[in-house]
Amino acid sequence: MEKKGDIAVIGLAVMGQNLILNMNDHGYTVVAFNRTVSKVDDFLNNAAKGTSVIGAHSIDEMVGLLKTPRKIMLMVKAGEAVDAEIEKLLPHLSPGDCIIDGGNSYFTDTIRRAKYLEDKGFFFIGSGVSGGEEGARNGPSIMPGGSIKAWPLIKDIFTAISAKTPSGEACCDWVGSDGAGHYVKMAHNAIEYGDIQIICEAYHLMKQGLGLSPDQMHEIFAEWNKTELDSYLIEITRDILGFKDEDGLPLVEKILDTAGQKGTGKWFSINSLDLGIPVTLIAESVYARSLSALKEERMNASGVFNGPAKLFKGDVKAIVEDIRKALLASKIISYTQGFMCLREAAKEYDWNLDFGNIALLWRGGCIIRSAFLENIKNAYRKNPGLTNLLLDDYFKKIVTDCEASWRRTLMTAIELGVPMPSFSSALAFFDGYRCDRLPANLLQAMRDYFGAHTYQRIDAPLNKVFHTNWTGRGGNVSSGTYSV
Ligand code: NBP
């Protein structure tokens, strides 16, 4: 009898192919299909040669080759391609079959698709898969959410192929209903934007402000990787700074200084504005990429404004240690803001998110994997109701220890004219968050002055609002109250 597949994967680009090979390594029989059908045979004759992967040349054939209930994973470009594939699949499916979208779909699309398919009697799972090509092949971080009843159908496969933490826990667990998995993946990618940007800012200050060479910074990042900063991104920065082009010169200095983006950092920043949560470091990281893309304008402006154009004169070893501590403190702020947004999203979209578990999912396999996430996991495991990561004893102590270095780093950068938007926004958030009286009293007064928007008083109950006729010319009628 013909062998039946445990799962099908549609989409044979880099992620799909590597996930299939990973599933095959773990003893699962996978049916492979792709819109451009010739890629099926290319795959079978090359990367999948000698494996038990079965090729399908039509959706009909693919569905017939699967054990029931069928599990079909889409690894196609996010957006219209996902809807197109779902529509092609529907006439071939039976109630109880499950479609899994493993791409980077926007979470509201996943909410819509989950409802659409559940209403038709099918299951739908929207799953974040992180770790790029290497992760997909050897163990990604997997963040599934959607139809909870379908979780037992895929739990064994997903857990088997996922990354494992140093203590052997799987970096894969159920996140929540409808779009929760894709939301958590979006948060992961956005935090990745922040982590990358603050590393770039530290590099920029050391290079432009301190005049250090890539070789010197290679050594510095190697040392930093032995501290609390121990992470995949610090590790690859160390390696990139030590990498030489064919002529023996550092390759990094020959790379154009403009950055692109695929949108997840922007999505998260926009969503944070909708939720009213200040994820300022990540938003600055998105803007930093936008500024980098204005290369021609920057080239022009660099000829108009010289800036301080001077080098640091002082104890280089001491300021490098300050930069390390400022990087660590900024990173804590970034994760603090990210988890604040996750908490608010859980309330807004009615998800029961386990923050310790989310930190665990990111502990291995994905781009932001780090020792640091173990401490976040511990903080939430110790106190699941923790209102803010900054208030956990471990993080509170680090930020307090780093504070003076953080301020010295930014004062140095400002004096030398080196832009550090994400470090600066992190410190501004910290100073704002720990401030018991912000200047929003003046803001309330101004809004009442020009628009009769009313204000509250510190010496009256909060539900009581006041309006003042500030100029003697306005009336005593106030505007309706609203919040944004
Ligand atoms: P791509 O995002 O480059 O997508 C290529 C695949 O999508 C091909 O199989 C292509 O089929 C298929 N496709 C396209 Br394009 N339009 C289609 C349509 N209208 N209908 C059906 N299929 C269509 O592949 P990838 O880089 O492997 O990523 C797959 C998913 O995983 C994406 O959502 C991506 O954002 C996400 N992801 C990627 C990474 C990464 O590092 N690359 C990491 C994590 C997540 P064709 O061969 O016929 O053109």
Side-chain angles (χ1 to χ4, degrees), residues 28-273:
Y28 294 100
T29 304
V30 190
V31 181
F33 180 66
N34 193 70
R35 176 183 63 167
T36 306
V37 179
S38 59
K39 291 188 186 169
V40 175
D41 292 322
D42 286 350
F43 179 51
L44 292 181
N45 294 328
N46 293 287
K49 202 176 175 126
T51 66
S52 64
V53 177
I54 307 171
H57 298 84
S58 68
I59 288 196
D60 197 28
E61 185 191 358
M62 179 195 80
V63 169
L65 285 165
L66 285 172
K67 291 178 194 163
T68 55
R70 301 177 187 89
K71 297 159 281 270
I72 299 166
M73 183 165 190
L74 305 176
M75 286 310 296
V76 298
K77 197 173 172 198
E80 285 169 15
V82 177
D83 290 312
E85 287 307 302
I86 289 174
E87 288 309 316
K88 281 187 240 166
L89 280 169
L90 281 182
H92 303 271
L93 299 185
S94 310
D97 288 348
C98 177
I99 299 177
I100 305 134
D101 172 15
N104 277 341
S105 294
Y106 191 53
F107 76 100
T108 54
D109 285 338
T110 307
I111 294 175
R112 168 177 59 78
R113 288 170 187 143
K115 175 152 184 13
Y116 176 66
L117 287 166
E118 282 172 8
D119 284 351
K120 291 182 183 302
F122 305 115
F123 293 127
F124 185 68
I125 289 182
S127 180
V129 178
S130 179
E133 178 178 5
E134 194 202 322
R137 182 68 186 87
N138 301 313
S141 158
I142 310 182
M143 297 147 255
S147 317
I148 178 81
K149 285 188 187 152
W151 177 224
L153 301 179
I154 58 159
K155 186 177 178 187
D156 288 349
I157 304 182
F158 274 31
T159 307
I161 65 165
S162 72
K164 307 292 175 297
T165 67
S167 57
E169 288 170 286
C171 296
C172 170
D173 203 355
W174 189 250
V175 175
S177 60
D178 52 53
H182 274 140
Y183 191 93
V184 167
K185 172 65 168 42
M186 174 177 74
H188 163 282
N189 284 27
I191 288 173
E192 178 188 314
Y193 272 59
D195 276 0
I196 290 174
Q197 177 61 24
I198 53 179
I199 291 174
C200 289
E201 290 179 13
Y203 153 80
H204 198 185
L205 180 58
M206 288 193 282
K207 179 181 138 177
Q208 187 181 308
L210 275 55
L212 300 184
S213 69
D215 279 341
Q216 287 170 307
M217 289 185 275
H218 164 77
E219 298 296 334
I220 288 166
F221 276 94
E223 284 310 307
W224 286 5
N225 204 39
K226 296 175 193 157
T227 69
E228 301 97 325
L229 287 171
D230 173 10
S231 63
Y232 172 70
L233 286 170
I234 294 283
E235 207 177 291
I236 67 168
T237 305
R238 172 199 68 195
D239 295 348
I240 289 167
L241 289 164
F243 193 93
K244 302 290 187 297
D245 201 5
E246 282 162 7
D247 57 6
L249 295 171
L251 177 59
V252 68
E253 299 308 331
K254 297 185 182 180
I255 296 178
L256 190 69
D257 57 327
T258 61
Q261 51 181 306
K262 280 194 170 169
T264 34
K266 184 180 84 176
W267 288 349
F268 194 65
S269 303
I270 292 171
N271 179 254
S272 76
L273 287 168

Side-chain angles (χ1 to χ4, degrees), residues 353-480:
L353 299 182
D354 177 334
F355 304 113
N357 229 18
I358 290 169
L360 171 72
L361 298 185
W362 298 341
R363 178 73 182 86
C366 62
I367 306 299
I368 64 169
R369 62 183 180 262
S370 65
F372 180 87
L373 280 158
E374 187 73 17
N375 301 107
I376 299 184
K377 183 194 86 179
N378 293 341
Y380 283 112
R381 288 271 156 94
K382 200 170 65 191
N383 179 7
L386 186 66
T387 49
N388 191 297
L389 206 51
L390 266 182
L391 303 178
D392 170 73
D393 286 345
Y394 174 81
F395 292 106
K396 189 171 66 188
K397 180 172 183 325
I398 298 188
V399 170
T400 308
D401 288 350
C402 292
E403 191 179 331
S405 290
W406 201 3
R407 294 186 193 283
R408 275 195 298 271
T409 297
L410 279 164
M411 285 188 287
T412 304
I414 289 165
E415 212 189 334
L416 300 176
V418 179
M420 299 191 85
S422 289
F423 273 58
S424 313
S425 71
L427 184 57
F429 170 85
F430 174 70
D431 282 334
Y433 191 72
R434 57 167 201 83
C435 185
D436 67 349
R437 187 153 167 85
L438 287 168
N441 50 328
L442 175 58
L443 190 156
Q444 285 217 61
M446 283 194 264
R447 292 181 71 235
D448 188 55
Y449 187 114
F450 63 69
H453 291 300
T454 73
Y455 56 86
Q456 297 143 296
R457 295 179 59 105
I458 54 175
D459 52 4
L462 289 181
N463 58 4
K464 202 159 176 232
V465 292
F466 298 85
H467 169 58
T468 294
N469 184 349
W470 295 87
T471 60
R473 293 188 301 274
N476 290 318
V477 182
S478 61
S479 157

